[in-house]
Amino acid sequence: MKVNAQSVNFNADKKLLDFLQNRLDKLETFYDKVISADVYLKVENTSSKENKIVDIRLNVPKDRFVVNKQCKSFEEAIDSACSSLERKLKKIKEIQREKV
């Protein structure tokens, strides 16, 4: 899967981008028709500890899934967003099975 990652207000290190790629690649086990993913990693300037925002836009044929998560670390936010996407992909796969 092609992953376009953009980091806003900071420079993402290789370790974080590798974690992101590995986690998104696991989504293909749930739904094999994923085309690409656009990921935006943002750091919000607030006094709150939960200032890391991950915005994932997953492109599949005839549809697009968007998930926003805000957590203490990028890894936690990526993991949470991917879990939400897993549920959505399982749901769409079930719907397609029922149509056949």
Side-chain angles (χ1 to χ4, degrees), residues 8-19:
V8 180
N9 297 335
F10 77 103
N11 291 327
D13 63 340
K14 177 101 171 91
K15 188 177 168 187
L16 178 62
L17 295 175
D18 287 343
F19 176 79

Side-chain angles (χ1 to χ4, degrees), residues 14-93:
K14 177 101 171 91
K15 188 177 168 187
L16 178 62
L17 295 175
D18 287 343
F19 176 79
L20 174 65
Q21 181 72 48
N22 289 336
R23 193 64 179 91
L24 287 173
D25 285 342
K26 289 180 185 175
L27 292 177
E28 289 185 319
T29 61
F30 299 101
Y31 189 74
D32 57 352
K33 296 177 183 164
V34 177
I35 300 168
S36 65
D38 299 319
V39 182
Y40 301 94
L41 306 167
K42 301 173 192 166
V43 178
E44 212 173 53
N45 290 331
T46 61
S47 59
S48 172
K49 295 253 189 235
E50 293 188 356
N51 65 342
K52 313 290 190 297
I53 301 170
V54 173
D55 181 18
I56 300 177
R57 295 182 180 139
L58 198 68
N59 299 310
V60 296
K62 300 180 185 176
D63 213 348
R64 171 185 274 178
F65 300 113
V66 179
V67 176
N68 258 318
K69 294 293 177 183
Q70 185 168 350
C71 295
K72 292 178 185 174
S73 71
F74 281 115
E75 289 82 359
E76 185 182 351
I78 290 168
D79 210 38
S80 178
C82 286
S83 295
S84 295
L85 286 169
E86 284 172 13
R87 285 192 299 276
K88 288 183 179 187
L89 291 175
K90 285 179 187 176
K91 191 174 183 182
I92 196 168
K93 197 169 186 177

